[in-house]
Amino acid sequence: MVFAAPGSDPSLGVEELDVEPLVLSDAARSDVSMPPEAQVRETFSYLQVMRAFAVRPDIDVVHNNTLHYLPVVMSSAIPQPLVTTLHTPVTPWLEPALRLNPAAHTVAVSDSVAQLWSTLTPARVIRNGVDALEWSPGPGGDSLVWSGRIVPEKAPHVAALIALRAGWKLRIAGPVSDRHYYETRLAPLLGEQVTHVGHLGTRALRTLVGQSAACLVTPAWEEPYGLVAAEAMACGTPVLAVARGGLSEVVRAPGGLTSQPGADEAATVAGATRLLPSVVAMDRERVRSYALETCSLTATVDAYVALYQELMRS
């Protein structure tokens, strides 16, 4: 079963967690050392969730996909084994939690993430997968695409610079999660050649990606996995990615090519621009076949089911 917060879409078939809202007295709120209320609310919610699992004999394994420290710290307080998937580089919340619980069961979404956490936990690697039925083949087109959150670490402005230098149109899809970054770094590059098409739903995004000649993935941080690259390749759209973190494990010929980051941004843009013609020329059927072989959701599910069964036997 899948647990979700109150107010989740009932059509998803999830079980809502019975979490009481945070109630603080005026005296507590007046404490000058009070941390941000959102932080208190979140911690109180996770505490209730872990207490609920402790009295659920119908649950065999708890799979923790959060970035909060409390499930890891409290894992010994519930009867079920708890496995935590590490979706990011090391964070200040999870690092001390794993140090307190070195026997925690962990999974990393790439070899790169596993290596980043290796001094704290021997994480098993189970890569993310994409639904090949949902991310279906597209015909390609005469524009490039970039998708994701518009934030500095995802660096869509680098994709814009590549497109401008190479003479290609680029459509950028995603929510503006950092307004200052958008206004100062990306907006000045927008125009007739590079456009921001907004935050699209899955169906519209799939159509956009499938109707693009290539997908650019341009992280400025150690990308844990690179799901947008896997989604694009499942559509048959080849990928040109800056080789940061787990992306270099996901994007390889014949599905795509990686560009090593240069000494500076200009060098990265120049290197990617040189590779772009060979990426656009890739055979779309081979690209999709590569995605089905290496980024299969079925393989991901099978690996997790095998892990659950292993934990239940231990």
Side-chain angles (χ1 to χ4, degrees), residues 189-220:
L189 302 174
L190 300 180
E192 185 176 344
Q193 189 173 341
V194 178
T195 56
H196 177 220
V197 298
H199 186 195
L200 305 180
T202 301
R203 181 178 299 177
L205 181 59
R206 178 186 64 220
T207 299
L208 174 66
V209 172
Q211 293 178 350
S212 298
C215 174
L216 303 182
V217 188
T218 53

PDB file of all heavy atoms in Angstrom, residues 189-220:
ATOM      1  N   LEU A 189      17.775  35.575 -21.654  1.00  0.00           N
ATOM      2  CA  LEU A 189      18.104  34.760 -22.818  1.00  0.00           C
ATOM      3  C   LEU A 189      16.868  34.353 -23.615  1.00  0.00           C
ATOM      4  O   LEU A 189      16.979  33.762 -24.693  1.00  0.00           O
ATOM      5  CB  LEU A 189      18.858  33.494 -22.381  1.00  0.00           C
ATOM      6  CG  LEU A 189      20.159  33.719 -21.602  1.00  0.00           C
ATOM      7  CD1 LEU A 189      20.719  32.392 -21.106  1.00  0.00           C
ATOM      8  CD2 LEU A 189      21.183  34.437 -22.468  1.00  0.00           C
ATOM      9  N   LEU A 190      15.689  34.636 -23.063  1.00  0.00           N
ATOM     10  CA  LEU A 190      14.449  34.228 -23.725  1.00  0.00           C
ATOM     11  C   LEU A 190      14.110  35.171 -24.878  1.00  0.00           C
ATOM     12  O   LEU A 190      14.453  36.344 -24.857  1.00  0.00           O
ATOM     13  CB  LEU A 190      13.298  34.192 -22.723  1.00  0.00           C
ATOM     14  CG  LEU A 190      13.447  33.234 -21.539  1.00  0.00           C
ATOM     15  CD1 LEU A 190      12.224  33.324 -20.626  1.00  0.00           C
ATOM     16  CD2 LEU A 190      13.662  31.804 -22.016  1.00  0.00           C
ATOM     17  N   GLY A 191      13.437  34.620 -25.859  1.00  0.00           N
ATOM     18  CA  GLY A 191      13.049  35.402 -27.029  1.00  0.00           C
ATOM     19  C   GLY A 191      12.440  34.489 -28.059  1.00  0.00           C
ATOM     20  O   GLY A 191      11.864  33.446 -27.733  1.00  0.00           O
ATOM     21  N   GLU A 192      12.589  34.830 -29.314  1.00  0.00           N
ATOM     22  CA  GLU A 192      12.008  34.026 -30.382  1.00  0.00           C
ATOM     23  C   GLU A 192      12.671  32.651 -30.484  1.00  0.00           C
ATOM     24  O   GLU A 192      12.022  31.659 -30.803  1.00  0.00           O
ATOM     25  CB  GLU A 192      12.147  34.762 -31.726  1.00  0.00           C
ATOM     26  CG  GLU A 192      11.457  34.058 -32.879  1.00  0.00           C
ATOM     27  CD  GLU A 192      11.527  34.857 -34.167  1.00  0.00           C
ATOM     28  OE1 GLU A 192      11.829  36.071 -34.104  1.00  0.00           O
ATOM     29  OE2 GLU A 192      11.297  34.269 -35.236  1.00  0.00           O
ATOM     30  N   GLN A 193      13.973  32.596 -30.183  1.00  0.00           N
ATOM     31  CA  GLN A 193      14.707  31.332 -30.336  1.00  0.00           C
ATOM     32  C   GLN A 193      14.581  30.436 -29.104  1.00  0.00           C
ATOM     33  O   GLN A 193      14.501  29.217 -29.229  1.00  0.00           O
ATOM     34  CB  GLN A 193      16.195  31.623 -30.607  1.00  0.00           C
ATOM     35  CG  GLN A 193      17.003  30.392 -31.003  1.00  0.00           C
ATOM     36  CD  GLN A 193      18.409  30.754 -31.431  1.00  0.00           C
ATOM     37  OE1 GLN A 193      18.692  31.893 -31.765  1.00  0.00           O
ATOM     38  NE2 GLN A 193      19.312  29.786 -31.424  1.00  0.00           N
ATOM     39  N   VAL A 194      14.568  31.014 -27.930  1.00  0.00           N
ATOM     40  CA  VAL A 194      14.461  30.255 -26.679  1.00  0.00           C
ATOM     41  C   VAL A 194      13.209  30.720 -25.955  1.00  0.00           C
ATOM     42  O   VAL A 194      13.075  31.900 -25.623  1.00  0.00           O
ATOM     43  CB  VAL A 194      15.696  30.468 -25.784  1.00  0.00           C
ATOM     44  CG1 VAL A 194      15.535  29.705 -24.477  1.00  0.00           C
ATOM     45  CG2 VAL A 194      16.967  30.033 -26.508  1.00  0.00           C
ATOM     46  N   THR A 195      12.288  29.784 -25.680  1.00  0.00           N
ATOM     47  CA  THR A 195      11.018  30.144 -25.040  1.00  0.00           C
ATOM     48  C   THR A 195      10.779  29.277 -23.812  1.00  0.00           C
ATOM     49  O   THR A 195      11.211  28.119 -23.749  1.00  0.00           O
ATOM     50  CB  THR A 195       9.834  29.968 -26.004  1.00  0.00           C
ATOM     51  OG1 THR A 195       9.826  28.612 -26.490  1.00  0.00           O
ATOM     52  CG2 THR A 195       9.945  30.919 -27.173  1.00  0.00           C
ATOM     53  N   HIS A 196      10.087  29.863 -22.829  1.00  0.00           N
ATOM     54  CA  HIS A 196       9.641  29.120 -21.657  1.00  0.00           C
ATOM     55  C   HIS A 196       8.162  28.839 -21.833  1.00  0.00           C
ATOM     56  O   HIS A 196       7.349  29.762 -21.871  1.00  0.00           O
ATOM     57  CB  HIS A 196       9.897  29.926 -20.375  1.00  0.00           C
ATOM     58  CG  HIS A 196       9.395  29.241 -19.135  1.00  0.00           C
ATOM     59  ND1 HIS A 196       8.767  29.918 -18.104  1.00  0.00           N
ATOM     60  CD2 HIS A 196       9.421  27.931 -18.766  1.00  0.00           C
ATOM     61  CE1 HIS A 196       8.446  29.051 -17.162  1.00  0.00           C
ATOM     62  NE2 HIS A 196       8.821  27.852 -17.536  1.00  0.00           N
ATOM     63  N   VAL A 197       7.805  27.559 -21.935  1.00  0.00           N
ATOM     64  CA  VAL A 197       6.424  27.191 -22.232  1.00  0.00           C
ATOM     65  C   VAL A 197       5.610  26.922 -20.978  1.00  0.00           C
ATOM     66  O   VAL A 197       4.437  26.544 -21.068  1.00  0.00           O
ATOM     67  CB  VAL A 197       6.376  25.963 -23.176  1.00  0.00           C
ATOM     68  CG1 VAL A 197       7.041  26.293 -24.504  1.00  0.00           C
ATOM     69  CG2 VAL A 197       7.016  24.739 -22.522  1.00  0.00           C
ATOM     70  N   GLY A 198       6.202  27.106 -19.801  1.00  0.00           N
ATOM     71  CA  GLY A 198       5.477  26.954 -18.548  1.00  0.00           C
ATOM     72  C   GLY A 198       5.638  25.585 -17.923  1.00  0.00           C
ATOM     73  O   GLY A 198       6.452  24.757 -18.352  1.00  0.00           O
ATOM     74  N   HIS A 199       4.867  25.381 -16.868  1.00  0.00           N
ATOM     75  CA  HIS A 199       4.892  24.119 -16.122  1.00  0.00           C
ATOM     76  C   HIS A 199       3.815  23.208 -16.698  1.00  0.00           C
ATOM     77  O   HIS A 199       2.620  23.452 -16.517  1.00  0.00           O
ATOM     78  CB  HIS A 199       4.636  24.392 -14.634  1.00  0.00           C
ATOM     79  CG  HIS A 199       4.787  23.184 -13.773  1.00  0.00           C
ATOM     80  ND1 HIS A 199       4.313  23.130 -12.481  1.00  0.00           N
ATOM     81  CD2 HIS A 199       5.358  21.977 -14.011  1.00  0.00           C
ATOM     82  CE1 HIS A 199       4.594  21.948 -11.961  1.00  0.00           C
ATOM     83  NE2 HIS A 199       5.218  21.231 -12.870  1.00  0.00           N
ATOM     84  N   LEU A 200       4.207  22.150 -17.398  1.00  0.00           N
ATOM     85  CA  LEU A 200       3.275  21.291 -18.118  1.00  0.00           C
ATOM     86  C   LEU A 200       2.924  20.044 -17.318  1.00  0.00           C
ATOM     87  O   LEU A 200       3.729  19.539 -16.540  1.00  0.00           O
ATOM     88  CB  LEU A 200       3.889  20.865 -19.458  1.00  0.00           C
ATOM     89  CG  LEU A 200       4.363  21.980 -20.387  1.00  0.00           C
ATOM     90  CD1 LEU A 200       4.941  21.373 -21.663  1.00  0.00           C
ATOM     91  CD2 LEU A 200       3.245  22.962 -20.703  1.00  0.00           C
ATOM     92  N   GLY A 201       1.726  19.539 -17.543  1.00  0.00           N
ATOM     93  CA  GLY A 201       1.345  18.238 -17.014  1.00  0.00           C
ATOM     94  C   GLY A 201       2.051  17.134 -17.784  1.00  0.00           C
ATOM     95  O   GLY A 201       2.672  17.372 -18.831  1.00  0.00           O
ATOM     96  N   THR A 202       1.940  15.914 -17.276  1.00  0.00           N
ATOM     97  CA  THR A 202       2.691  14.793 -17.867  1.00  0.00           C
ATOM     98  C   THR A 202       2.350  14.581 -19.334  1.00  0.00           C
ATOM     99  O   THR A 202       3.234  14.395 -20.173  1.00  0.00           O
ATOM    100  CB  THR A 202       2.424  13.499 -17.078  1.00  0.00           C
ATOM    101  OG1 THR A 202       2.815  13.684 -15.717  1.00  0.00           O
ATOM    102  CG2 THR A 202       3.206  12.342 -17.675  1.00  0.00           C
ATOM    103  N   ARG A 203       1.079  14.631 -19.677  1.00  0.00           N
ATOM    104  CA  ARG A 203       0.680  14.365 -21.062  1.00  0.00           C
ATOM    105  C   ARG A 203       1.254  15.414 -22.014  1.00  0.00           C
ATOM    106  O   ARG A 203       1.808  15.086 -23.062  1.00  0.00           O
ATOM    107  CB  ARG A 203      -0.846  14.320 -21.168  1.00  0.00           C
ATOM    108  CG  ARG A 203      -1.351  14.022 -22.569  1.00  0.00           C
ATOM    109  CD  ARG A 203      -2.859  13.934 -22.597  1.00  0.00           C
ATOM    110  NE  ARG A 203      -3.347  12.862 -21.731  1.00  0.00           N
ATOM    111  CZ  ARG A 203      -4.631  12.595 -21.529  1.00  0.00           C
ATOM    112  NH1 ARG A 203      -5.572  13.332 -22.131  1.00  0.00           N
ATOM    113  NH2 ARG A 203      -5.003  11.609 -20.736  1.00  0.00           N
ATOM    114  N   ALA A 204       1.123  16.691 -21.628  1.00  0.00           N
ATOM    115  CA  ALA A 204       1.631  17.765 -22.487  1.00  0.00           C
ATOM    116  C   ALA A 204       3.148  17.724 -22.572  1.00  0.00           C
ATOM    117  O   ALA A 204       3.735  17.969 -23.634  1.00  0.00           O
ATOM    118  CB  ALA A 204       1.167  19.122 -21.960  1.00  0.00           C
ATOM    119  N   LEU A 205       3.795  17.391 -21.453  1.00  0.00           N
ATOM    120  CA  LEU A 205       5.257  17.313 -21.457  1.00  0.00           C
ATOM    121  C   LEU A 205       5.730  16.158 -22.329  1.00  0.00           C
ATOM    122  O   LEU A 205       6.697  16.296 -23.093  1.00  0.00           O
ATOM    123  CB  LEU A 205       5.779  17.142 -20.028  1.00  0.00           C
ATOM    124  CG  LEU A 205       7.298  17.073 -19.873  1.00  0.00           C
ATOM    125  CD1 LEU A 205       7.966  18.335 -20.405  1.00  0.00           C
ATOM    126  CD2 LEU A 205       7.679  16.840 -18.407  1.00  0.00           C
ATOM    127  N   ARG A 206       5.048  15.026 -22.244  1.00  0.00           N
ATOM    128  CA  ARG A 206       5.403  13.882 -23.087  1.00  0.00           C
ATOM    129  C   ARG A 206       5.298  14.243 -24.567  1.00  0.00           C
ATOM    130  O   ARG A 206       6.172  13.891 -25.368  1.00  0.00           O
ATOM    131  CB  ARG A 206       4.494  12.703 -22.762  1.00  0.00           C
ATOM    132  CG  ARG A 206       4.756  11.459 -23.620  1.00  0.00           C
ATOM    133  CD  ARG A 206       3.729  10.397 -23.327  1.00  0.00           C
ATOM    134  NE  ARG A 206       2.393  10.826 -23.695  1.00  0.00           N
ATOM    135  CZ  ARG A 206       1.301  10.575 -22.971  1.00  0.00           C
ATOM    136  NH1 ARG A 206       1.380   9.934 -21.826  1.00  0.00           N
ATOM    137  NH2 ARG A 206       0.117  10.989 -23.403  1.00  0.00           N
ATOM    138  N   THR A 207       4.244  14.953 -24.928  1.00  0.00           N
ATOM    139  CA  THR A 207       4.084  15.367 -26.323  1.00  0.00           C
ATOM    140  C   THR A 207       5.210  16.300 -26.737  1.00  0.00           C
ATOM    141  O   THR A 207       5.794  16.158 -27.824  1.00  0.00           O
ATOM    142  CB  THR A 207       2.721  16.068 -26.513  1.00  0.00           C
ATOM    143  OG1 THR A 207       1.674  15.150 -26.186  1.00  0.00           O
ATOM    144  CG2 THR A 207       2.551  16.544 -27.945  1.00  0.00           C
ATOM    145  N   LEU A 208       5.533  17.266 -25.878  1.00  0.00           N
ATOM    146  CA  LEU A 208       6.602  18.209 -26.187  1.00  0.00           C
ATOM    147  C   LEU A 208       7.937  17.494 -26.369  1.00  0.00           C
ATOM    148  O   LEU A 208       8.664  17.738 -27.344  1.00  0.00           O
ATOM    149  CB  LEU A 208       6.717  19.247 -25.068  1.00  0.00           C
ATOM    150  CG  LEU A 208       7.885  20.235 -25.176  1.00  0.00           C
ATOM    151  CD1 LEU A 208       7.711  21.140 -26.388  1.00  0.00           C
ATOM    152  CD2 LEU A 208       8.011  21.059 -23.896  1.00  0.00           C
ATOM    153  N   VAL A 209       8.262  16.604 -25.443  1.00  0.00           N
ATOM    154  CA  VAL A 209       9.536  15.885 -25.517  1.00  0.00           C
ATOM    155  C   VAL A 209       9.576  15.001 -26.755  1.00  0.00           C
ATOM    156  O   VAL A 209      10.581  14.952 -27.480  1.00  0.00           O
ATOM    157  CB  VAL A 209       9.753  15.049 -24.240  1.00  0.00           C
ATOM    158  CG1 VAL A 209      10.975  14.138 -24.386  1.00  0.00           C
ATOM    159  CG2 VAL A 209       9.923  15.958 -23.025  1.00  0.00           C
ATOM    160  N   GLY A 210       8.476  14.306 -27.040  1.00  0.00           N
ATOM    161  CA  GLY A 210       8.435  13.415 -28.199  1.00  0.00           C
ATOM    162  C   GLY A 210       8.527  14.143 -29.523  1.00  0.00           C
ATOM    163  O   GLY A 210       8.950  13.576 -30.530  1.00  0.00           O
ATOM    164  N   GLN A 211       8.130  15.426 -29.536  1.00  0.00           N
ATOM    165  CA  GLN A 211       8.179  16.221 -30.757  1.00  0.00           C
ATOM    166  C   GLN A 211       9.426  17.096 -30.821  1.00  0.00           C
ATOM    167  O   GLN A 211       9.460  18.076 -31.566  1.00  0.00           O
ATOM    168  CB  GLN A 211       6.923  17.097 -30.846  1.00  0.00           C
ATOM    169  CG  GLN A 211       5.643  16.292 -31.054  1.00  0.00           C
ATOM    170  CD  GLN A 211       4.398  17.161 -31.086  1.00  0.00           C
ATOM    171  OE1 GLN A 211       4.443  18.352 -30.775  1.00  0.00           O
ATOM    172  NE2 GLN A 211       3.271  16.564 -31.464  1.00  0.00           N
ATOM    173  N   SER A 212      10.450  16.731 -30.074  1.00  0.00           N
ATOM    174  CA  SER A 212      11.699  17.490 -30.061  1.00  0.00           C
ATOM    175  C   SER A 212      12.824  16.678 -30.697  1.00  0.00           C
ATOM    176  O   SER A 212      12.846  15.439 -30.637  1.00  0.00           O
ATOM    177  CB  SER A 212      12.084  17.858 -28.624  1.00  0.00           C
ATOM    178  OG  SER A 212      11.091  18.696 -28.046  1.00  0.00           O
ATOM    179  N   ALA A 213      13.770  17.377 -31.287  1.00  0.00           N
ATOM    180  CA  ALA A 213      14.889  16.719 -31.959  1.00  0.00           C
ATOM    181  C   ALA A 213      15.866  16.122 -30.962  1.00  0.00           C
ATOM    182  O   ALA A 213      16.497  15.089 -31.226  1.00  0.00           O
ATOM    183  CB  ALA A 213      15.610  17.721 -32.865  1.00  0.00           C
ATOM    184  N   ALA A 214      16.027  16.774 -29.810  1.00  0.00           N
ATOM    185  CA  ALA A 214      16.935  16.286 -28.770  1.00  0.00           C
ATOM    186  C   ALA A 214      16.575  16.977 -27.469  1.00  0.00           C
ATOM    187  O   ALA A 214      15.963  18.053 -27.449  1.00  0.00           O
ATOM    188  CB  ALA A 214      18.393  16.548 -29.132  1.00  0.00           C
ATOM    189  N   CYS A 215      16.959  16.348 -26.383  1.00  0.00           N
ATOM    190  CA  CYS A 215      16.736  16.889 -25.039  1.00  0.00           C
ATOM    191  C   CYS A 215      18.085  17.294 -24.447  1.00  0.00           C
ATOM    192  O   CYS A 215      19.046  16.521 -24.488  1.00  0.00           O
ATOM    193  CB  CYS A 215      16.068  15.833 -24.161  1.00  0.00           C
ATOM    194  SG  CYS A 215      15.877  16.297 -22.428  1.00  0.00           S
ATOM    195  N   LEU A 216      18.144  18.495 -23.908  1.00  0.00           N
ATOM    196  CA  LEU A 216      19.346  18.972 -23.231  1.00  0.00           C
ATOM    197  C   LEU A 216      19.161  18.823 -21.726  1.00  0.00           C
ATOM    198  O   LEU A 216      18.112  19.186 -21.181  1.00  0.00           O
ATOM    199  CB  LEU A 216      19.624  20.435 -23.573  1.00  0.00           C
ATOM    200  CG  LEU A 216      19.775  20.786 -25.058  1.00  0.00           C
ATOM    201  CD1 LEU A 216      20.104  22.272 -25.207  1.00  0.00           C
ATOM    202  CD2 LEU A 216      20.843  19.932 -25.716  1.00  0.00           C
ATOM    203  N   VAL A 217      20.161  18.288 -21.049  1.00  0.00           N
ATOM    204  CA  VAL A 217      20.142  18.155 -19.586  1.00  0.00           C
ATOM    205  C   VAL A 217      21.439  18.769 -19.080  1.00  0.00           C
ATOM    206  O   VAL A 217      22.525  18.254 -19.375  1.00  0.00           O
ATOM    207  CB  VAL A 217      20.015  16.687 -19.139  1.00  0.00           C
ATOM    208  CG1 VAL A 217      19.813  16.606 -17.627  1.00  0.00           C
ATOM    209  CG2 VAL A 217      18.857  16.000 -19.867  1.00  0.00           C
ATOM    210  N   THR A 218      21.333  19.858 -18.311  1.00  0.00           N
ATOM    211  CA  THR A 218      22.507  20.703 -18.066  1.00  0.00           C
ATOM    212  C   THR A 218      22.727  21.012 -16.583  1.00  0.00           C
ATOM    213  O   THR A 218      22.757  22.177 -16.184  1.00  0.00           O
ATOM    214  CB  THR A 218      22.347  22.022 -18.825  1.00  0.00           C
ATOM    215  OG1 THR A 218      21.068  22.611 -18.470  1.00  0.00           O
ATOM    216  CG2 THR A 218      22.390  21.803 -20.328  1.00  0.00           C
ATOM    217  N   PRO A 219      22.885  20.011 -15.732  1.00  0.00           N
ATOM    218  CA  PRO A 219      22.995  20.289 -14.294  1.00  0.00           C
ATOM    219  C   PRO A 219      24.284  21.018 -13.933  1.00  0.00           C
ATOM    220  O   PRO A 219      25.325  20.824 -14.553  1.00  0.00           O
ATOM    221  CB  PRO A 219      22.966  18.895 -13.670  1.00  0.00           C
ATOM    222  CG  PRO A 219      23.551  18.008 -14.734  1.00  0.00           C
ATOM    223  CD  PRO A 219      23.029  18.567 -16.022  1.00  0.00           C
ATOM    224  N   ALA A 220      24.171  21.847 -12.892  1.00  0.00           N
ATOM    225  CA  ALA A 220      25.345  22.510 -12.329  1.00  0.00           C
ATOM    226  C   ALA A 220      25.670  21.918 -10.962  1.00  0.00           C
ATOM    227  O   ALA A 220      26.395  22.520 -10.178  1.00  0.00           O
ATOM    228  CB  ALA A 220      25.095  24.011 -12.210  1.00  0.00           C
TER     229      ALA A 220
END
